[in-house]
Amino acid sequence: MSDRAPDGDSTAQGDGMWPRVYAVLLRLYPRSFRDLLARDMARTFATRLEEVESTRGFLGRGRFLAGELGGLVCSVTSQRLGGRAADHGMPLGSPLRSIPTLNTRRKDPMSMIVQELRHALRRLARTLGLGLGATVAVYSVVHSIVIRPLPYSESDRLVWLDHAGPGIGAEGGLGMTRGLYAHYRDRITAFEDMAAWTPIDVTVTGEPPERVRAVAATPELFRTLRVSPALGTVFETARDTAGQSATVVISHRFWTRWFGADPDAVGRILRADGSPLEVIGVMPAGFAFPSPDVDLWARVAIDPSTPSFGGFSWEGVARLSPSATREVAEAEVRALIPGLRERFGVGRMLDETRLAPVFPPLKHQVVREAERTLWILLGSVCFVLLLACANVANLLLVRAEGRQRETALRRALGAGRMELLRYHLSEGLLLSIAGGVLGVLLAQAAVGILVAAGPKALPRLAEVSLSPGVLAFAALLVLGT
């Protein structure tokens, strides 16, 4: 724009002065910026100044000049101090967004980034949210059931007492007998404690009567597991004497349902299958051994001096001594098995079955087939998450095609590779965080439904939750996506 003001015309002189001031200030920008945009910015400024003077008068012109020139100074300062060149200096009518110096409403870089991400978040966060939610929900199940230790003190030292019969094609699963328990109890030095039990179903007399899942267990059961009752005591300190009722420990669930969570329930009498049972203890909430449906643990004593060998209808658990291993315990048992011939007269059975000990970790026995299935399920949802990431990446790639001019302009305005990389990484991170928040909410809902209505055969189902370990995994997953 030419300077058309004669010296005697104050208005024209002002019109010529302010464009020159603006042009001088434009020279403070970097050369690459000036070569690209300075001429268009000066022309636009002069045009806007004429419009303001003709419509708003003297005061309007003052406000316009203060805003434009002040904004230009701030923009130049930001550029010289290392601000993003692409966020300042865009002329009116540019295919990109307007700049603060030519718009009375200025935006900081973060608000502009958020504005750019708004549409992408709405379109893409749902896709990532579904993938992340499914992955976090399944991982919470795997973590709670497979990865997390059993809720017993030093649970890695607990082993399941089982036997195999290669002679009859049984690689395991025979279990225990009363005679085997009596034969092993005082002879295996690798065991610090051991216990045995057999499942039973009893009918508890009441209004109405209730069929209850129970186990008859040796007194060492709770001591072996290192579990204390929430109320009362357990078998290790209880003594059955003549004239007194037999004793029973009840689950927290049964205590709440049958006694209304009454603290005075300890010492009361239950009648199970017509026999009186004195309640001596209540187990804590969440205790579920050997299975979640067990509500009663009745005491049974096995006299080692006069036992019978019995049938393989019993199960057993043992706690290894601090210096022992499963291999050492199995070796001790193999050495003890030949003694069963003389003590119980079961030589023919031993010859036919070739009885051998199998002592897997208790956790392995509890999880069993579910472990492999859960790992496969986790791998499947991770693959679904990868597909979601690929889908989002394709959408972002399409979006990037339309932003080539913006990227080229950012480079022309002085933005380096690291600045562009930080910009796009911040965009991707915010997108992943939005998807992660949505995913965690979906996972929380899915876990709640699973715990409430999941298959009862799934072990440790009541322990499934979004624990801190699961949330840490979710955070790493967000960074990875």
Side-chain angles (χ1 to χ4, degrees), residues 185-251:
R185 189 175 62 180
D186 299 324
R187 291 177 172 83
I188 302 178
T189 60
F191 289 160
E192 186 175 339
D193 284 300
M194 66 178 295
W197 70 90
T198 186
I200 56 175
D201 290 326
V202 298
T203 300
V204 178
T205 303
E207 293 295 336
E210 182 179 347
R211 194 68 175 170
V212 175
R213 187 69 171 173
V215 295
T218 59
E220 299 86 1
L221 177 62
F222 300 108
R223 185 178 66 198
T224 301
L225 298 176
R226 301 291 192 269
V227 178
S228 300
L231 291 175
T233 185
V234 289
F235 301 138
E236 61 179 336
T237 59
R239 295 292 182 268
D240 292 340
T241 60
Q244 290 185 338
S245 63
T247 56
V248 66
V249 176
I250 62 176
S251 69

Side-chain angles (χ1 to χ4, degrees), residues 151-152 253 283-294 297 366 460 462-463:
Y152 310 122
R253 179 178 60 248
M283 297 309 294
F287 178 76
F289 188 88
S291 61
D293 58 344
V294 174
W297 293 267
V366 170
R460 309 182 68 185
E463 301 176 34

